[in-house]
Amino acid sequence: MSLVEDREPVIVHAHSLVASISEITSSLVCIEIEQENFMEIGSYLERTSPVIMELQTTKNNPSNATEILQDISKNIDLAKNLVGKCLKGPDSIPDLEVRSILQKLEGVIKNIGLGLSLIPCSAFRNQEYAEVAVRSLSREMTNVHFEINHVQASEPKETLQFPPLEHLLDDEAENDLYSVQVNFSAENLQSKDMPLSFDFIRELSYTDPGNHGKSSTCSLKAFPKVAKYMEPQYASFFCPLTRKIMDDPVTIESGATYERWAITEWFKKFEDGSEDVICPTTGRKLAIRTLNTNVALKTTIEEWKERNEATMIKVVRAALSVTNPDSVIVEALKYLQHLCKNKQYNKVQVRNIGMIPLLAQFLEHKEKNVRCATLEILQLLAEEDDESKEMIAKTDAISRTIKMLLSNHLPERHASLSLLIELSRSELSYEWIGSVTGCILMLIMMKCNHHCDAFAAKQADEILKNLENSPKNIKCMAENGLLEPLLKHLIEGTEEMQLEMGSYLGETVLGRDTKTFVAERATPALIKMIHNGNSLTRRAAFKALVQISSYHPNSSILVNAGIVPITIEEMFTPRIYNESMSFLRESATILANILESGPALENLQVNRNGHTMVSDYVVYNVVHMFKNSAPDELNVNLIRILLCLTKSPKAKSTLVSVVKESEASYTLIELIDSPHEELGITSIKLLITLAPYMGYTLCERLCRTKGQPENLINNQSESDRITEKHAVSVNFLAKLPHQNLKLNLALFHKNTVPIILQAINEIQSGVRMGKFSNSYLEGLVGVLVRFTATVYDPQILSLARDHNLTSVFTELLMTTSSDEVQRLSATGLENLSAESINLSIQPPAQKNKGPNLTKLHSFLSFPSSKGKRLQVCPIHRGACSSQTTFCLLEAKAIERLLACLEHENVAMVKAALSAICTLLHDRVDVDNSVSILSGMDAINHVLRVLKEHKQEVWQKSLWVIEKFLTKGGDRFASEISKDRSLPSVLVSALQHGDIATRRMAEKILKCLNKFPEFSTIEFLS
């Protein structure tokens, strides 16, 4: 056969025909009538394609190749038109027309078969298998006959209809009506190298509604004829040595074809050269051992396998689309897994026919073996196939797989992890995985529990590493305690990644056990971002540092990393008018957090000029900033900084000077009423700190401010909940100088006392409670005490009498457990008692006959102007009452004050002693006071105080003892001298006390005959 000079027409015809055949076979799948016949037609056309391609590639083109292809082309065009008519739908095509179309298509197949028979033997180049295959196909096609099985609609007949294999999945709802059971032998379908059986096909079952739901069986004829879709195994496909279908056929010198590895093993028998190499089939001697790949046969076998495997994939889909026993489903899944492992293209086939959604449904199957097999096949489909991963992600497979992470069945748990590893390698999938609620937390827990399941821990760790590709997942990991990914990307990531990680770190609430770890790892990277990053990166870094600095133990890490100079520079660098506030607020917050941790302010360098945190440079700049109407949040942090600076005497002195000389105090007072509650609180706290150093200045400026000072009290009634603002407001008033009459009168005129007393009663009765209730109560009582310091004023005196402040303080001594409230109450009683002698109404002068020791606890009487007898106070020598003259005896406050001396709180003991001392002043009847106090065992109380608190209460305690000794005579001297520890205390006071204390100690020792009568004070000094 001579070569055709111009092969171009043959190539063009061949490519066109193959494309047309592919188009027709795709259309045949969609035809809903006579499906078996149309599928058989499609099979013949597909088997024709390799022959056509061989004609255009062979070097021995037959002379009639063009004519043969033209004839086939005409038949293919006719087939395309006929198939197009059948796509209109089963209801729109009359049965007679269907019969006519099938008859014409039968003629098409026969004509193509005749065309193939015209190919001459020379075209096969002595390749017998190829000639046999083409001749066999030609005979089949020329002898084809299609049985018309279509039934007229007018002829009702009970038949069991089954959808084609290709549509079992798509028509799943209909299939559930008739689930099929087919019993047949699959021996002819299974090739010798397929390890799995087709039991799942034999086990298909259906339930017949007409048989009351009982299981029925049907023959292969009722089910789509699987065997009919399977192409026969040609003899030329088998290796003469292995008797199996060849994978890598090679031709030797004799022209025979074998499996490569098999003929290689055959040749090894003749390596010693003792025998001639012979062909195992023909017996001919071989001069050479060259192995030539039989490309045509190899291609034909591969295509044959592809077609049959594609058919088997559809059979598996059919088995999974209907109701079957669990064992059948497992076997079908295993066989599908075998097909996908065998060839990569089969995975594409499974994906293209839409099996992934069907498989995903089996993840909720009740049988764990079914779920495990499904996980394995999904993992296989996902391997190195992003399209399959995307399709899996679009189903519920991911959430169902994550649910199985908690399975007690170890293989199921491991299979779910293996699938997630594959899916987590895809961009779309790792986003989906991370978005499932609780998934990342479960993976973290599995990673940490490596001692329980090492394999699961390793798999979980790999999944988490894949999920790190999503910043959102990294944030979720950090929120669930896995901070390493965030820190790693913050330190090593790109600028964009650092920006995101810094932002996340600023938003993430860290646990106490991780805050220091994060500070150590992240701080250097964050400072580097501040130095080198753009505006967005720097903002993220500053916010993260705000989060880190909020944990005070981290301050030393931040200081050592050099954050203080950075914040100072950011805060104090002059800016162009209307320029953005930049990172001023964040810098102030960081600095305030660090300073509140209590570092040594004198050692904190703030710049290269030698300035430290206590330098005037810092104090003046901070005060200047908050004076100039900065935003509320910034002002809060500026005042926090100033509060911290007051811990340094040097900085405090500078701050007091600056506030006094400038309008800063007015600014602080105005900020009290700021709607920003935290700003108001911090302002008041700073004012409280400054009050001991500039209290009168603050009183004056407070009274000049509109709405003050009453707003500090009146706002207390607006809410039943006691807030920090309530507590600091009243404490500010309590800390201001009590002797400032202007402030006290301002509070009096604004009628604040009834509000104070009402609030005290509500707290005492439990109506108002809260975290700050104790502090609030202390402040309220402190404000009441300040009135007692100016009770000499008629208006304040009237206020104290009207509200019976003596009874109020006495009751507080008895009913409250707060040391500070008791101290303040004792101070208030001291102030009121000191005024009693001035308020007591003195009787007419009478001859003093000495104290009536038997009646000291009752009042004396004297005639009034109206003839009535008035009670006389033995201490104040006049008419007294707790309400009008504030008499402690009348108020029964002495017993409670003495009880306070037993307390461990020194400040409260000193206040109680001071109140008792008002009963021993020279202007009162000291003799009677000593007698009354003696009856209450006061001297022993005082002696215990002297021994327990020593230097803290020396002066007042010794003063009381001296009064008892000088006024009580030998009786008290004898009683006091019984205390064996007293002399050592007195000697210690004599040695270490101030001049007044030494004098009193000397007097007492002399009264006890423990000291010579001559004075030695000057000598001791």
Side-chain angles (χ1 to χ4, degrees), residues 236-249:
S236 58
F237 291 178
F238 290 87
C239 173
L241 295 175
T242 65
R243 303 297 180 187
K244 293 182 179 180
I245 296 176
M246 293 180 284
D247 290 320
D248 190 5

Side-chain angles (χ1 to χ4, degrees), residues 649-668:
K650 179 180 184 302
K652 184 192 294 183
S653 175
T654 304
L655 178 60
V656 170
S657 175
V658 172
V659 173
K660 272 186 176 180
E661 295 171 0
S662 67
E663 301 296 316
S665 57
Y666 284 109
T667 304
L668 286 170

Side-chain angles (χ1 to χ4, degrees), residues 111-126:
N111 289 337
I112 294 175
L114 289 172
L116 296 179
S117 66
L118 298 177
I119 301 175
C121 297
S122 59
F124 300 107
R125 295 178 293 172
N126 297 324

Side-chain angles (χ1 to χ4, degrees), residues 186-259:
E187 294 176 0
N188 293 330
L189 300 180
Q190 186 175 3
S191 66
K192 295 180 181 179
D193 58 347
M194 290 183 181
L196 302 176
S197 67
F198 289 90
D199 291 340
F200 66 89
I201 299 177
R202 292 197 299 273
E203 296 293 333
L204 292 172
S205 63
Y206 82 98
T207 303
D208 185 0
N211 196 22
H212 306 289
K214 295 181 180 179
S215 179
S216 302
T217 60
C218 64
S219 67
L220 183 59
K221 293 180 181 179
F223 193 77
K225 297 180 180 179
V226 176
K228 201 166 186 179
Y229 298 134
M230 301 291 292
E231 295 186 30
Q233 300 170 348
Y234 301 107
S236 58
F237 291 178
F238 290 87
C239 173
L241 295 175
T242 65
R243 303 297 180 187
K244 293 182 179 180
I245 296 176
M246 293 180 284
D247 290 320
D248 190 5
V250 294
T251 303
I252 62 175
E253 182 186 1
S254 66
T257 302
Y258 302 92
E259 183 70 69

